[in-house]
Amino acid sequence: MSKNTEAQENLYDRTIDITSETCPMTFVRTRLALDRMAPGEILLVVMRGEEPRANIPRTASEQGHTVLSQEDQPDGTTRLRLRKAPG
């Protein structure tokens, strides 16, 4: 990974940790965080498990948000970056 890409991966306006949550609370917490943000801001979601890993990016995209990156971490978590949809 280039330094520029690494720097971009660390850019976000807000972060939430939903590693201890289960469905459907994983997306409820993600949606509440997005609702509190301005259009274009970036949310970093730290999550654990296959269900949120598959469902949160899909549902966020269906609601018009942009998935910027999704990376599995060595500790078993996944870091998902979402850009809030415009207006």
Side-chain angles (χ1 to χ4, degrees), residues 15-52:
T15 184
I16 61 169
D17 181 336
I18 57 170
T19 55
S20 63
E21 302 288 343
T22 57
C23 246
M25 288 308 296
T26 52
F27 190 72
V28 169
R29 291 221 24 234
T30 302
R31 182 168 180 180
L32 287 172
L34 286 164
D35 286 349
R36 293 182 186 114
M37 296 172 69
E41 285 188 327
I42 297 171
L43 174 66
L44 172 66
V45 182
V46 180
M47 58 190 161
R48 184 182 308 276
E50 288 302 313
E51 195 168 10

Side-chain angles (χ1 to χ4, degrees), residues 44-82:
L44 172 66
V45 182
V46 180
M47 58 190 161
R48 184 182 308 276
E50 288 302 313
E51 195 168 10
R53 188 176 180 277
N55 292 339
I56 292 175
R58 183 189 74 242
T59 306
S61 292
E62 289 170 356
Q63 293 185 352
H65 307 294
T66 303
V67 175
L68 298 175
S69 64
Q70 183 172 340
E71 291 187 1
D72 295 329
Q73 303 298 303
D75 65 359
T77 62
T78 299
R79 292 170 54 98
L80 173 69
R81 288 175 57 243
L82 299 170

Side-chain angles (χ1 to χ4, degrees), residues 8 12-13 42 59:
Q8 290 172 352
Y12 49 89
D13 298 293
I42 297 171
T59 306

